[in-house]
Amino acid sequence: MAQPEWAVEVEHLVRRFGPVEAVADVSFQVRRGEIFGFLGPNGAGKSTTIKILATLLRATSGRALLAGFDVATQPTQVRRSIGIVFQDHSLDDRLTAWENLYFHALLYGVGRDEFTDRAQALLAMVDLLDRRDDVVRTFSGGMRRRLEIARGLLHAPAVLFLDEPTVGLDPQTRSAIWQHVRRLRDERGVTVFMTTHYMDEADHCDRIAVIDHGRIVALGTPDELRRQVGSEAVLVGAPDAARLAAEVAERYGVAARATGPGEARIEVADAAAFLPRLAADFAGRLESLRVHRPTLDDVFLHLTGREIRDEEASPLDAMRRRVMGRRRA
Amino acid sequence: MSREAAAAARVVYAIAYREVIRFLKDRSRWLGFIAQPLLYLTLIGYGIAHSMTFRSVPAAAHVNYLSFMYPGILGMSVLFTAIFSGVGIIWDREFGFLREVLVAPVPRWAVAVGKALGIAAIVVVQSAVLLALAPVAGIPLGVGMAAGVLGVAAVMGFGLGSLGIAIAARMQSMEGFQFVMNVLTMPMFFLSGAMYPLRGLPVWLTVLTRVDPLAYGVDALRNVVYGAGQEVRLLVEYPVGLDLGVMAALAAVLAVLGAWAFEGQET
Ligand SMILES: Nc1ncnc2c1ncn2[C@@H]1O[C@H](COP(=O)(O)OP(=O)(O)OP(=O)(O)O)[C@@H](O)[C@H]1O
Ligand SMILES: [Mg+2]
């Protein structure tokens, strides 16, 4: 069968829960082999969209294709094409880590030898090899999360869904997981569809959709999104900052101003290209040079009027999420 | 075997495997399934045995109430364990594990069947342990009798487990579990003939006992537990063929029902 060009195609997807419109007319496409990110505050509709794509929820209206299969009418083919790490816990906590993995391997038809090798390697990756025969009930939250990720990677799906995979994990583990995910993409062409709250993780994505109140409010590469918010800037340290700013503005036709004693800010489209020219032309008058690029935090604030980190930190939201997590099996 | 059939068989095995492992590890369940029959046999059985006689057997026959009760207690144990395990799906949903199963590329009927088979395996283990109580109830242990008990328990476990699955498949809350236990399981136990013989009863009660699936299971157990010469045989209700036929048919219907209830659910 010819491989479809798109790993995921979504057209006018809507999902209501009673009066709540969790997903409100969303359309987008994900390329094969792409790392695609969903960025949005709590309750934006990220998990709902993923569950529809994973055939766990029905759409109220609209259409979604996964690897060319319709999620509503060809659920088995879709399920055969995906792997998923849920946002909420989904381990059997009475089984050991190894038994959880073995169960997964049986469900997905991973052969015995293949299973042993991969399970060992994945447990090593998430640093749980020495706990493989311990019952999951005795694991900390972060350890459970790591095991869930290892399990999600155990079979080799065409499309891998990661719903806030690395929340609460330490930096080493996060970077190990990212390395693995990228290797999966590079070596096997796995498409990765993820949601995240971490801006630095969003930066790893090839493209990002910013979603708020069930709608996509922006879609593009991280750089494209940043450009929407404003240009890049070069921050200069110089004793005669004010004069320097004026000269720079005149010479290159860019916006430049002193932002304090001994400091100036120059707005440019492409800071990396501008830097060498500036350094050469003003050699001897510069004490320091720093590039400022808009962060995805800025992008998020600009698009939704809210700080994503505030939302994450809100204890009420955290509680709601826990409660919802338990109810939404 | 086709690829689909092989996959289905693997899933059935996986689900049954998990069910059995969970059971084997759970010490409190071991304690419970041993203590409960023991309590019934001693605290209720001895009491009744020493204070009452059967109306429905000839006065000359010496029928020991404990011998009468013992197969009923085996049946009770199978019933509670099977329904409890089947309804365990509610827990799986509550704790999120069910998603792992429902998102997998496996036929859902195979999930239901695997669970029912796992439950059958559990009640067989359980019944094997409870066979040790037979001498306490004045019933001699024998290989044929033991094999009969385990066979009947397997069929009962599969059918009653499927009933639990069918009930729980669409149930969203823990409260539902209490409801099932009180409104379904206890009456099934009371009406099964586990505690009293199902004869000489008022018509309304007789009708209810006839529609209780457990009654046929308990009767089948009596059929296989009592040796040919025992007087307590007088209290067996139906031929063993009828018991087994009813139970097998019921197990098949309930398995289909359980599998059906499991299809097409959202999470
Ligand atoms: N099963 C459900 N029943 C009722 N409402 C639901 C259900 N699942 C989700 N919702 C609602 O749909 C909206 C979107 O929820 P969703 O879980 O998709 O958000 P999210 O973007 O994943 O948020 P988070 O960052 O908190 O995970 C929320 O308002 C939520 O309350
Ligand atoms: Mg979510």
Side-chain angles (χ1 to χ4, degrees), chain B residues 28-89:
Chain B
S28 62
R29 273 176 84 181
W30 279 83
L31 201 70
F33 90 75
I34 293 171
Q36 191 189 33
L38 209 56
L39 284 176
Y40 269 80
L41 278 176
T42 50
L43 302 190
I44 300 183
Y46 270 103
I48 293 180
H50 286 273
S51 59
M52 300 180 201
T53 54
F54 288 101
R55 259 194 214 176
S56 42
V57 296
H62 295 287
V63 175
N64 178 2
Y65 180 75
L66 281 179
S67 303
F68 169 78
M69 192 196 198
Y70 175 72
I73 294 303
L74 285 181
M76 171 195 79
S77 164
V78 169
L79 169 76
F80 286 162
T81 297
I83 299 272
F84 179 86
S85 305
V87 172
I89 290 178

Side-chain angles (χ1 to χ4, degrees), chain A residues 46-47 87 163-164 328:
Chain A
K46 304 183 295 290
S47 297
Q87 179 174 8
D163 199 353
E164 300 192 20
R328 271 180 282 150

Side-chain angles (χ1 to χ4, degrees), chain A residues 28-302:
Chain A
F28 62 90
Q29 290 156 321
V30 180
R31 276 185 212 104
R32 287 200 299 126
E34 183 172 38
I35 299 182
F36 186 86
F38 246 23
L39 189 65
N42 292 151
K46 304 183 295 290
S47 297
T48 304
T49 307
I50 284 192
K51 282 184 191 160
I52 293 171
L53 294 177
T55 74
L56 288 176
L57 281 176
R58 277 184 283 271
T60 306
S61 65
R63 207 164 83 103
L65 298 185
L66 200 137
F69 300 114
D70 190 311
V71 298
T73 57
Q74 300 170 290
T76 307
Q77 285 92 327
V78 171
R79 287 177 196 145
R80 220 171 263 148
S81 315
I82 63 173
I84 182 165
V85 173
F86 294 100
Q87 179 174 8
D88 309 311
H89 36 73
S90 61
L91 295 166
D92 186 334
D93 67 354
R94 304 293 174 122
L95 301 188
T96 65
W98 192 258
E99 286 163 350
N100 267 287
L101 295 180
Y102 181 55
F103 181 82
H104 187 87
L106 284 173
L107 287 189
Y108 286 85
V110 180
R112 198 169 250 286
D113 298 339
E114 216 180 345
F115 163 70
T116 311
D117 292 347
R118 272 198 218 160
Q120 296 270 8
L122 286 166
L123 283 180
M125 176 188 87
V126 297
D127 200 16
L128 284 176
L129 206 46
D130 54 331
R131 301 293 301 264
R132 56 168 263 183
D133 294 320
D134 289 352
V135 175
V136 169
R137 204 145 48 115
T138 65
F139 282 16
S140 73
M143 289 162 69
R144 285 173 199 228
R145 195 64 190 149
R146 273 143 51 191
L147 180 58
E148 280 177 334
I149 292 173
R151 186 182 65 178
L153 300 172
L154 191 58
H155 68 289
V159 181
L160 181 62
F161 291 102
L162 304 170
D163 199 353
E164 300 192 20
T166 56
V167 168
L169 297 186
D170 52 65
Q172 292 114 289
T173 315
R174 281 170 64 191
S175 87
I177 289 166
W178 266 105
Q179 260 176 25
H180 185 90
V181 165
R182 231 174 283 115
R183 203 163 53 235
L184 277 182
R185 192 270 297 272
D186 295 342
E187 289 171 10
R188 304 194 197 200
V190 173
T191 307
V192 181
F193 188 126
M194 66 169 326
T195 72
T196 184
H197 272 140
Y198 292 121
M199 293 299 165
D200 54 331
E201 283 193 354
D203 250 329
H204 287 305
C205 296
D206 298 318
R207 287 192 307 146
I208 301 171
V210 179
I211 178 168
D212 193 23
H213 297 302
R215 279 170 222 283
I216 291 183
V217 293
L219 200 159
T221 66
D223 281 336
E224 281 166 3
L225 292 184
R226 268 190 285 266
R227 252 172 259 142
Q228 285 190 13
V229 189
S231 59
E232 299 180 347
V234 175
L235 305 180
V236 181
D240 55 343
R243 225 179 64 212
L244 186 96
E247 283 176 40
V248 164
E250 176 156 348
R251 182 164 188 154
Y252 307 110
V254 297
R257 68 198 153 83
T259 48
E263 213 179 79
R265 180 185 170 98
I266 310 166
E267 312 276 344
V268 287
D270 188 346
F274 179 71
L275 223 50
R277 276 167 66 199
L278 182 70
D281 293 345
F282 290 86
R285 291 174 60 189
L286 307 173
E287 280 174 344
S288 69
L289 280 174
R290 199 150 53 83
V291 172
H292 174 81
R293 317 173 75 192
T295 62
L296 284 173
D297 282 301
D298 299 333
V299 174
F300 195 79
L301 182 66
H302 173 75

Side-chain angles (χ1 to χ4, degrees), chain B residues 133-243:
Chain B
L133 293 179
V136 177
I139 292 170
L141 263 175
V143 174
M145 167 258 199
V149 165
L150 300 187
V152 172
V155 179
M156 288 174 74
F158 185 80
L160 294 169
S162 296
L163 178 63
I165 293 166
I167 293 166
R170 306 275 173 110
M171 206 174 259
Q172 297 291 340
S173 72
M174 297 280 212
E175 291 76 29
F177 174 73
Q178 278 305 326
F179 181 80
V180 170
M181 280 308 184
N182 293 331
V183 170
L184 188 81
T185 313
M186 292 315 284
M188 271 175 82
F189 167 51
F190 296 147
L191 293 168
S192 69
M195 305 282 281
Y196 55 82
L198 303 180
R199 51 182 73 167
L201 303 175
V203 175
W204 66 269
L205 201 51
T206 303
V207 169
L208 289 178
T209 63
R210 291 280 152 87
V211 298
D212 181 356
L214 188 63
Y216 301 90
V218 168
D219 200 59
L221 287 169
R222 291 216 161 95
N223 262 307
V224 298
V225 163
Y226 302 146
Q230 285 186 287
E231 289 183 306
V232 64
R233 263 210 104 75
L234 292 168
L235 288 172
V236 172
E237 206 70 21
Y238 313 108
V240 69
L242 175 76
D243 288 332

